[in-house]
Amino acid sequence: MPDQVSIPQAALAAVGRPLPDGVTLRRLKEDDLESAQALSREFGWPHRLEDWRFSLAHGQGVAALRDGELVGTALHWPWGKQHATVGHVMVSPRMQGQRVGQHLMHAVMAGLEDRTVLLHATTEGRGLYERMGFEITGEVRQHQGSAAPAQLVALAPGERLRPLGRNDAKALVALDAVAAGMPRETMLRQLLADGETVVLARGGEAVGFSTVRRFGRGYAVGPVVAPDLASAQALVGHWCSRFAGKFLRIDVDAASGLPEWLEAQGLPRVDTVTTMVRNGPLARGSAVGGWALVTQAMG
């Protein structure tokens, strides 16, 4: 099980004070997810109910309600003892401008004070996060579209792509922890079990991998873990060819070199979010990098 961080009850009581316009906070529950999915559609998010269930299964959330109706959410995901990510922060358009988002963020961050926390911010939310101590560290670009067979990418001598093996999980969990700068074993094992995975092997050793799964309007690629840009391109290109003609999404670091390559493969950029960290930086490894997110919310 993930290392759960219980959201203190005081935080769910809106820091001891009533929220504006009759809004109350409580823990986000499985029964709330249909309403959360409907609210996320108002922002153009493509998340299916299954995507929301995946998110809640690995973390905890706060729900904002008014007259029994869900009007906002925020979730956190604790990774190990020292890290966490925060996401799915949204407030109904008709409730914006009333500091509901601020109350949600203070509630969902309670208990994470000593952790390094990562989030991806929209332009609208960035000011609030900066006031809460988050610092800008980069940006992530969302690319999506109808996949087309990718151009072949030459791998280094001795490297090849192969299917996921029965005994690969432990090594891939370790590679992901180095690339992400935080341990995410439970989530990654679910991705390996439920999605499809291709492994970059050097000799008999796994040195990278990428996964693809059902998400939103089609399929999402991520994480992508690789030692260099060429091998990351080969891992992503595998899925472009495998899912040619189907809707594919991938979220990548803007400075990675992948955005330009993705454009050339027919996957245009459709959105950009700001990467922000509190109590950072993340201690990512140098021998292997994380080239694509699992989701913008979870990192």
Side-chain angles (χ1 to χ4, degrees):
M1 293 293 293
D3 180 42
Q4 294 292 334
V5 176
S6 180
I7 301 170
Q9 189 60 41
L12 298 175
V15 200
R17 298 186 301 275
L19 280 170
D21 204 17
V23 175
T24 59
L25 300 185
R26 63 161 168 76
R27 286 184 177 85
L28 186 72
K29 301 183 292 187
E30 179 79 18
D31 291 346
D32 295 319
L33 295 187
E34 288 191 12
S35 297
Q37 194 259 352
L39 180 57
S40 66
R41 290 285 185 184
E42 295 187 34
F43 295 92
W45 296 6
H47 297 60
R48 306 167 302 148
L49 184 58
E50 293 87 344
D51 301 324
W52 272 95
R53 286 175 177 150
F54 177 82
S55 293
L56 187 59
H58 296 281
Q60 290 189 27
V62 181
L65 299 104
R66 181 173 180 265
D67 297 329
E69 179 185 1
L70 186 81
V71 295
T73 64
L75 277 73
H76 75 223
W77 296 270
W79 309 120
K81 301 293 185 182
Q82 298 177 315
H83 303 90
T85 50
V86 167
H88 289 330
V89 182
M90 60 178 181
V91 176
S92 172
R94 67 182 182 279
M95 297 299 299
Q96 291 181 8
Q98 302 185 54
R99 303 179 72 185
V100 176
Q102 177 177 317
H103 287 288
L104 280 166
M105 275 299 296
H106 281 291
V108 83
M109 288 291 293
L112 304 180
E113 290 83 0
D114 296 328
R115 292 176 177 247
T116 298
V117 182
L118 168 74
L119 61 76
H120 293 100
T122 61
T123 301
E124 294 78 13
R126 196 167 67 190
L128 168 61
Y129 306 141
E130 287 179 321
R131 292 192 295 274
M132 294 184 69
F134 285 87
E135 297 181 351
I136 296 172
T137 61
E139 67 178 30
V140 164
R141 293 181 181 174
Q142 177 185 336
H143 291 256
Q144 64 186 39
S146 180
Q151 302 168 7
L152 291 177
V153 177
L155 293 171
E159 292 185 349
R160 65 184 179 94
L161 299 184
R162 63 165 174 80
L164 177 70
R166 181 180 301 177
N167 299 317
D168 282 329
K170 183 177 180 180
L172 302 192
V173 166
L175 285 171
D176 178 74
V178 172
M182 57 185 79
R184 310 188 294 184
E185 180 171 359
T186 304
M187 177 185 68
L188 190 63
R189 285 186 179 272
Q190 183 176 348
L191 290 174
L192 296 178
D194 295 348
E196 297 184 43
T197 302
V198 65
V199 176
L200 174 70
R202 182 182 296 150
E205 180 185 4
V207 295
F209 70 97
S210 64
T211 68
V212 69
R213 69 196 186 282
R214 284 281 292 114
F215 179 84
R217 297 169 56 188
Y219 296 85
V221 177
V224 176
V225 175
D228 52 52
L229 177 59
S231 55
Q233 290 170 344
L235 286 163
V236 176
H238 173 85
W239 300 123
C240 291
S241 299
R242 166 79 172 77
F243 290 94
K246 297 183 179 180
F247 188 87
L248 208 60
R249 169 177 172 166
I250 183 168
D251 295 88
V252 300
D253 188 288
S256 66
L258 273 180
E260 297 80 7
W261 181 83
L262 290 168
E263 294 274 358
Q265 307 310 307
L267 292 177
R269 173 169 58 119
V270 298
D271 194 17
T272 300
V273 291
T274 302
T275 305
M276 306 185 76
V277 176
R278 192 170 87 168
N279 297 335
L282 287 167
R284 293 187 167 106
S286 57
V288 65
W291 298 81
L293 306 180
V294 176
T295 66
Q296 289 184 12
M298 299 174 76

